[in-house]
């Protein structure tokens, strides 16, 4: 039986939840551990399907890993030069193995990366940069093979501040000969977290968090410890869940200094956030319309726009969402419409009309964040929502059903499935 997430809407969420470690910080950091033969100890790694896939891909390359006191302990003593497993095709982050594997053993071969269907997700920036650094790249219809006799530094100007390409270049450059400069680099907090970890291993990365990153290649990297940053997208999702139910949630271990435009928009939408250190209390008396335009950090995170859409539909008036990163990130709209959501537009822009009383019904999760959007909508809707393909949501949210239940949501996972596609 395929699993279904059953949600009965209308219960105000009240109580405390802790924000977990960031998926999009943990994935590149796990890939980066391949750069050393020393032991790495990682705290706050979320237990997610995508993380497990990443670990199983790294194991093929020689990584050994286990858990000690909740921390992930990793060592890749002897690197193995062999093709990555077919699961590499199921997650986008598999391309992040290219930089570390090329740097460490001069070889990377894998199925082309997959991930959520949210638009054209090319890897041309990664390939172009690796070529500039001395790699030979061959791409077939479904495989990529990259080889190098030794990477050297280069000046790479990215056509768009791609998160994954910035991460891949940074990792490849740590052990390359000479200096690498990344211009128009992505500035996301997850980039800063990766750079901090690389530097703890002995790398020389400067400027992470700005659009100009410099990496001076070093002879070798050593083992290190690191705590993965909290997940700002999970934080935003839990805030939206609390706000749509007009509950009172307190979120603990929120990321610091990662606000971007997000907090201003939440205030505009009528969501009151009071912050004390890494703790944020969320309340909402009235839903208000807003205009959201997503963009690279510090712009509004594209991963959070699907999650804000149900909140905007409750507001009295017209709201717009303009998507500035991906070209097909409104694939959740057709599912939300089944619940009464009113929006018009195309793949780049949607106009949302409210107020709408959302009604529970049967829906299908299109991807991680689209599924999270449907959960938020269902929590604020009247009646029962049954969400199929809910495993997609578990790729990005650890035990989300149990955690929401602990703050009063009427939510239950029915049936089982081991489908990793998404
Ligand atoms: N792009 C290219 N060519 C490339 C690389 C990117 O054209 O070689 C384009 C993409 O098609 C897209 C834009 O550049 O239009 C930005 O893509 P980016 O490379 O920044 O995204 P990513 O690294 O593939 C990460 C996150 C995404 C998040 C984006 C943007 C991970 C594993 N994934 O993807 O997270 O939406 O950055 O912030 O870090 C999610 O968690 O649900 C998710 C999709």
């Amino acid at each position: 039986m395929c699993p279904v997430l059953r949600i009965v809407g209308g219960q105000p969420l009240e109580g405390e939840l802790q924000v977990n470690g960031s998926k999009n910080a943990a994935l590149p950091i796990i890939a980066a551990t391949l750069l050393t033969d020393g032991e790495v100890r990682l705290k706050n790694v979320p237990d997610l399907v995508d993380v497990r896939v990443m670990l199983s891909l790294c194991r093929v390359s020689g990584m050994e890993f286990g858990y000690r006191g909740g921390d992930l302990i990793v060592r890749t003593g002897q690197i193995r030069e062999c093709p990555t497993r077919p699961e590499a095709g199921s997650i986008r982050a598999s391309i992040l193995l290219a930089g570390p594997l090329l740097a460490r053993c001069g070889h990377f071969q894998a199925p082309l990366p997959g991930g959520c269907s949210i638009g054209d997700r090319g890897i041309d920036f990664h390939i172009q940069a690796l070529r500039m650094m001395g790699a030979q790249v061959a791409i077939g219809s479904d495989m990529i093979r990259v080889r190098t006799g030794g990477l050297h530094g280069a000046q790479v100007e990215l056509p768009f501040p791609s998160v994954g390409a910035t991460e891949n270049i940074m990792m490849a450059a740590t052990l390359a000969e000479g200096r690498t400069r990344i211009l128009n680099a992505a500035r996301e907090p997850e980039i800063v977290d990766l750079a901090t970890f690389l530097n703890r291993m002995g790398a020389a990365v400067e400027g992470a968090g700005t659009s100009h990153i410099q990496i001076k290649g070093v002879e070798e990297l050593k083992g290190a410890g690191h705590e993965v940053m909290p997940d700002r997208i999970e934080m935003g999702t839990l805030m939206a869940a609390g706000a749509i139910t007009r509950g009172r949630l307190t979120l603990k271990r929120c990321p610091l200094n990662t606000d971007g435009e997000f907090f201003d928009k939440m205030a505009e939408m009528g969501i009151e956030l009071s912050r004390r250190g890494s703790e944020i209390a969320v309340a909402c008396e009235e839903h208000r319309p807003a205009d959201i335009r997503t963009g690279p950090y510090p712009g509004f995170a594209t991963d959070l726009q699907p999650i804000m859409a149900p909140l905007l539909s409750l507001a009295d008036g017209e709201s717009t969402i303009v998507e500035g990163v991906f070209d097909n990130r409104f694939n959740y709209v057709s599912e939300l419409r089944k619940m009464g959501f009113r929006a018009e537009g195309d793949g780049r822009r949607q106009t949302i009309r409210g107020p709408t009383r959302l009604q529970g019904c049967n829906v299908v999760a299109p991807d991680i964040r689209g599924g999270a959007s449907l959960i938020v909508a269902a929590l604020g809707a009247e009646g029962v929502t049954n969400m199929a393909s809910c495993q997609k949501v578990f790729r990005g949210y650890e035990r989300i059903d149990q955690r929401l239940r602990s703050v009063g949501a009427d939510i239950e996972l029915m049936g089982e499935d081991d489908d990793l596609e998404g």
Side-chain angles (χ1 to χ4, degrees), residues 23-24 27 92-93 118 120-126 160-164 188 302-303 325-326 329 368-369:
K23 166 177 86 76
N24 290 346
L27 291 170
R92 169 79 177 172
I118 49 182
D120 183 18
R121 300 183 75 182
I123 52 169
D124 48 327
F125 307 163
H126 301 246
F160 185 89
S162 153
V163 174
E188 269 69 2
T302 169
D303 292 345
V325 179
F326 292 105
R329 209 159 194 182
I368 305 177
R369 309 302 172 192

Short mmCIF file of all heavy atoms in Angstrom, two decimals, residues 23-24 27 92-93 118 120-126 160-164 188 302-303 325-326 329 368-369, ligand 1:
data_model
loop_
_atom_site.label_atom_id
_atom_site.label_comp_id
_atom_site.label_asym_id
_atom_site.label_seq_id
_atom_site.Cartn_x
_atom_site.Cartn_y
_atom_site.Cartn_z
N LYS A 23 19.32 20.27 5.42
CA LYS A 23 19.56 19.30 4.33
C LYS A 23 20.57 19.87 3.33
O LYS A 23 21.54 19.20 2.97
CB LYS A 23 18.24 19.00 3.60
CG LYS A 23 18.41 18.29 2.26
CD LYS A 23 17.09 17.96 1.62
CE LYS A 23 16.47 19.05 0.78
NZ LYS A 23 17.06 19.25 -0.56
N ASN A 24 20.33 21.11 2.90
CA ASN A 24 21.15 21.65 1.81
C ASN A 24 22.54 22.10 2.27
O ASN A 24 23.39 22.41 1.43
CB ASN A 24 20.40 22.78 1.10
CG ASN A 24 19.21 22.23 0.31
OD1 ASN A 24 19.13 21.02 0.09
ND2 ASN A 24 18.30 23.09 -0.09
N LEU A 27 24.31 18.07 2.77
CA LEU A 27 24.66 17.28 1.57
C LEU A 27 26.04 17.65 1.02
O LEU A 27 26.89 16.77 0.84
CB LEU A 27 23.56 17.40 0.51
CG LEU A 27 22.24 16.73 0.88
CD1 LEU A 27 21.14 17.09 -0.11
CD2 LEU A 27 22.38 15.21 0.94
N ARG A 92 19.68 15.48 -6.84
CA ARG A 92 20.43 16.53 -7.53
C ARG A 92 21.85 16.65 -6.94
O ARG A 92 22.83 16.90 -7.63
CB ARG A 92 19.67 17.85 -7.34
CG ARG A 92 20.40 19.08 -7.75
CD ARG A 92 20.38 19.27 -9.23
NE ARG A 92 21.03 20.51 -9.62
CZ ARG A 92 21.28 20.84 -10.87
NH1 ARG A 92 20.93 20.04 -11.85
NH2 ARG A 92 21.87 21.97 -11.16
N ALA A 93 21.94 16.45 -5.62
CA ALA A 93 23.21 16.71 -4.93
C ALA A 93 24.30 15.72 -5.31
O ALA A 93 25.46 15.92 -4.94
CB ALA A 93 22.99 16.70 -3.42
N ILE A 118 11.46 20.85 -10.93
CA ILE A 118 11.03 22.24 -10.72
C ILE A 118 11.56 23.14 -11.81
O ILE A 118 11.65 24.34 -11.65
CB ILE A 118 11.49 22.74 -9.33
CG1 ILE A 118 12.97 22.45 -9.09
CG2 ILE A 118 10.65 22.14 -8.23
CD1 ILE A 118 13.50 22.87 -7.73
N ASP A 120 14.21 23.35 -15.59
CA ASP A 120 15.41 22.87 -16.25
C ASP A 120 16.57 23.03 -15.26
O ASP A 120 16.89 24.14 -14.84
CB ASP A 120 15.64 23.74 -17.49
CG ASP A 120 16.83 23.26 -18.28
OD1 ASP A 120 17.23 22.10 -18.06
OD2 ASP A 120 17.35 24.03 -19.09
N ARG A 121 17.17 21.93 -14.85
CA ARG A 121 18.24 22.03 -13.85
C ARG A 121 19.54 21.54 -14.47
O ARG A 121 19.99 20.42 -14.24
CB ARG A 121 17.87 21.25 -12.59
CG ARG A 121 16.60 21.76 -11.95
CD ARG A 121 16.25 21.08 -10.68
NE ARG A 121 17.09 21.50 -9.56
CZ ARG A 121 16.99 20.99 -8.33
NH1 ARG A 121 16.11 20.04 -8.09
NH2 ARG A 121 17.78 21.41 -7.37
N GLY A 122 20.13 22.40 -15.29
CA GLY A 122 21.35 22.04 -16.01
C GLY A 122 22.54 21.89 -15.09
O GLY A 122 22.50 22.29 -13.92
N ILE A 123 23.63 21.29 -15.63
CA ILE A 123 24.87 21.21 -14.86
C ILE A 123 26.01 21.86 -15.66
O ILE A 123 27.18 21.61 -15.42
CB ILE A 123 25.23 19.76 -14.46
CG1 ILE A 123 25.23 18.84 -15.69
CG2 ILE A 123 24.31 19.25 -13.39
CD1 ILE A 123 25.82 17.47 -15.41
N ASP A 124 25.62 22.69 -16.66
CA ASP A 124 26.63 23.29 -17.53
C ASP A 124 27.62 24.20 -16.78
O ASP A 124 28.80 24.25 -17.12
CB ASP A 124 25.96 24.06 -18.68
CG ASP A 124 24.83 24.97 -18.20
OD1 ASP A 124 24.16 24.61 -17.21
OD2 ASP A 124 24.63 26.04 -18.79
N PHE A 125 27.18 24.89 -15.72
CA PHE A 125 28.11 25.76 -14.98
C PHE A 125 29.17 24.91 -14.28
O PHE A 125 30.34 25.28 -14.21
CB PHE A 125 27.41 26.60 -13.92
CG PHE A 125 26.23 27.42 -14.39
CD1 PHE A 125 25.32 27.92 -13.46
CD2 PHE A 125 26.02 27.72 -15.73
CE1 PHE A 125 24.24 28.68 -13.85
CE2 PHE A 125 24.93 28.47 -16.14
CZ PHE A 125 24.03 28.95 -15.20
N HIS A 126 28.72 23.77 -13.74
CA HIS A 126 29.66 22.86 -13.04
C HIS A 126 30.71 22.38 -14.06
O HIS A 126 31.91 22.42 -13.80
CB HIS A 126 28.93 21.63 -12.50
CG HIS A 126 27.82 21.90 -11.52
ND1 HIS A 126 27.88 21.53 -10.20
CD2 HIS A 126 26.62 22.50 -11.67
CE1 HIS A 126 26.76 21.88 -9.59
NE2 HIS A 126 25.98 22.47 -10.46
N PHE A 160 25.06 32.71 -13.42
CA PHE A 160 24.00 32.90 -12.42
C PHE A 160 24.60 32.38 -11.11
O PHE A 160 25.36 31.40 -11.15
CB PHE A 160 22.76 32.07 -12.80
CG PHE A 160 21.57 32.28 -11.90
CD1 PHE A 160 20.64 33.27 -12.16
CD2 PHE A 160 21.38 31.46 -10.79
CE1 PHE A 160 19.54 33.46 -11.31
CE2 PHE A 160 20.28 31.65 -9.94
CZ PHE A 160 19.36 32.65 -10.21
N PRO A 161 24.30 33.01 -9.98
CA PRO A 161 24.93 32.55 -8.73
C PRO A 161 24.38 31.20 -8.26
O PRO A 161 23.60 31.11 -7.31
CB PRO A 161 24.60 33.67 -7.73
CG PRO A 161 23.47 34.41 -8.31
CD PRO A 161 23.49 34.23 -9.80
N SER A 162 24.78 30.16 -8.94
CA SER A 162 24.30 28.80 -8.65
C SER A 162 24.92 28.28 -7.35
O SER A 162 26.13 28.31 -7.16
CB SER A 162 24.69 27.88 -9.82
OG SER A 162 24.84 26.55 -9.38
N VAL A 163 24.04 27.79 -6.49
CA VAL A 163 24.48 27.26 -5.20
C VAL A 163 25.37 26.03 -5.42
O VAL A 163 26.50 25.95 -4.93
CB VAL A 163 23.24 26.89 -4.33
CG1 VAL A 163 23.65 26.18 -3.05
CG2 VAL A 163 22.41 28.13 -4.04
N GLY A 164 24.85 25.06 -6.19
CA GLY A 164 25.60 23.81 -6.38
C GLY A 164 26.93 24.04 -7.10
O GLY A 164 27.95 23.45 -6.72
N GLU A 188 24.48 32.10 -0.39
CA GLU A 188 23.58 31.46 0.58
C GLU A 188 24.32 31.06 1.87
O GLU A 188 25.51 30.72 1.82
CB GLU A 188 22.97 30.18 -0.04
CG GLU A 188 21.66 30.36 -0.78
CD GLU A 188 21.77 31.17 -2.07
OE1 GLU A 188 22.88 31.58 -2.46
OE2 GLU A 188 20.72 31.40 -2.70
N THR A 302 13.68 30.61 -2.98
CA THR A 302 12.74 29.90 -3.86
C THR A 302 12.11 28.69 -3.17
O THR A 302 10.95 28.37 -3.40
CB THR A 302 13.44 29.48 -5.18
OG1 THR A 302 12.58 28.58 -5.88
CG2 THR A 302 14.76 28.77 -4.94
N ASP A 303 12.87 28.04 -2.29
CA ASP A 303 12.34 26.84 -1.61
C ASP A 303 11.15 27.18 -0.71
O ASP A 303 10.39 26.30 -0.33
CB ASP A 303 13.43 26.20 -0.74
CG ASP A 303 14.54 25.60 -1.58
OD1 ASP A 303 14.34 25.44 -2.79
OD2 ASP A 303 15.60 25.29 -1.01
N VAL A 325 14.22 31.98 -9.79
CA VAL A 325 15.34 31.03 -9.81
C VAL A 325 15.07 29.85 -10.76
O VAL A 325 15.89 29.54 -11.62
CB VAL A 325 15.66 30.50 -8.38
CG1 VAL A 325 16.80 29.50 -8.41
CG2 VAL A 325 15.99 31.67 -7.46
N PHE A 326 13.92 29.21 -10.60
CA PHE A 326 13.60 28.05 -11.44
C PHE A 326 12.46 28.39 -12.40
O PHE A 326 11.67 29.30 -12.13
CB PHE A 326 13.21 26.85 -10.56
CG PHE A 326 14.37 26.31 -9.75
CD1 PHE A 326 14.46 26.56 -8.39
CD2 PHE A 326 15.38 25.60 -10.36
CE1 PHE A 326 15.54 26.10 -7.66
CE2 PHE A 326 16.46 25.12 -9.63
CZ PHE A 326 16.54 25.37 -8.28
N ARG A 329 8.39 26.24 -10.98
CA ARG A 329 8.24 25.95 -9.55
C ARG A 329 6.82 26.21 -9.05
O ARG A 329 6.60 26.42 -7.87
CB ARG A 329 9.25 26.71 -8.73
CG ARG A 329 9.53 25.89 -7.49
CD ARG A 329 10.77 26.13 -6.78
NE ARG A 329 10.97 25.01 -5.85
CZ ARG A 329 11.97 24.92 -5.03
NH1 ARG A 329 12.87 25.84 -4.99
NH2 ARG A 329 12.08 23.88 -4.23
N ILE A 368 9.41 17.96 -2.89
CA ILE A 368 9.60 18.21 -1.44
C ILE A 368 8.82 19.44 -0.98
O ILE A 368 7.99 19.38 -0.08
CB ILE A 368 11.09 18.46 -1.09
CG1 ILE A 368 11.98 17.31 -1.56
CG2 ILE A 368 11.26 18.68 0.41
CD1 ILE A 368 13.47 17.54 -1.30
N ARG A 369 9.11 20.57 -1.61
CA ARG A 369 8.52 21.82 -1.11
C ARG A 369 7.05 21.95 -1.53
O ARG A 369 6.25 22.54 -0.81
CB ARG A 369 9.31 23.03 -1.60
CG ARG A 369 10.80 22.95 -1.36
CD ARG A 369 11.20 22.79 0.09
NE ARG A 369 12.63 22.53 0.23
CZ ARG A 369 13.22 22.13 1.34
NH1 ARG A 369 12.52 21.89 2.43
NH2 ARG A 369 14.52 21.93 1.38
N1 LIG B 1 21.69 26.32 -13.28
C1 LIG B 1 22.11 26.13 -14.59
N2 LIG B 1 23.25 25.42 -14.82
C2 LIG B 1 23.98 24.90 -13.80
C3 LIG B 1 23.57 25.09 -12.47
C4 LIG B 1 22.40 25.81 -12.24
O1 LIG B 1 21.46 26.59 -15.52
O2 LIG B 1 25.02 24.25 -14.08
C5 LIG B 1 20.47 27.09 -13.03
C6 LIG B 1 19.35 26.17 -12.54
O3 LIG B 1 18.65 25.57 -13.59
C7 LIG B 1 18.47 27.15 -11.75
C8 LIG B 1 19.49 28.13 -11.19
O4 LIG B 1 20.67 28.00 -11.97
O5 LIG B 1 17.59 27.80 -12.62
C9 LIG B 1 19.83 27.94 -9.73
O6 LIG B 1 20.22 26.60 -9.47
P1 LIG B 1 21.25 26.24 -8.32
O7 LIG B 1 22.42 25.59 -8.94
O8 LIG B 1 21.47 27.43 -7.45
O9 LIG B 1 20.42 25.17 -7.48
P2 LIG B 1 20.93 23.77 -6.94
O10 LIG B 1 22.30 23.90 -6.42
O11 LIG B 1 20.62 22.71 -7.92
C10 LIG B 1 20.16 24.19 -4.48
C11 LIG B 1 19.24 23.50 -3.52
C12 LIG B 1 17.81 23.71 -3.95
C13 LIG B 1 17.52 25.21 -3.99
C14 LIG B 1 18.52 25.91 -4.93
C15 LIG B 1 18.39 27.42 -4.95
C16 LIG B 1 20.58 21.64 -2.75
C17 LIG B 1 20.81 20.17 -2.74
N3 LIG B 1 19.55 22.07 -3.49
O12 LIG B 1 19.92 23.58 -5.74
O13 LIG B 1 17.00 23.10 -2.97
O14 LIG B 1 16.21 25.43 -4.45
O15 LIG B 1 19.87 25.59 -4.51
O16 LIG B 1 18.49 27.94 -3.68
O17 LIG B 1 21.30 22.40 -2.12
C18 LIG B 1 15.12 21.93 -2.13
O18 LIG B 1 15.74 21.82 -1.06
O19 LIG B 1 13.91 21.63 -2.26
C19 LIG B 1 15.82 22.43 -3.31
C20 LIG B 1 15.36 22.29 -4.54
#
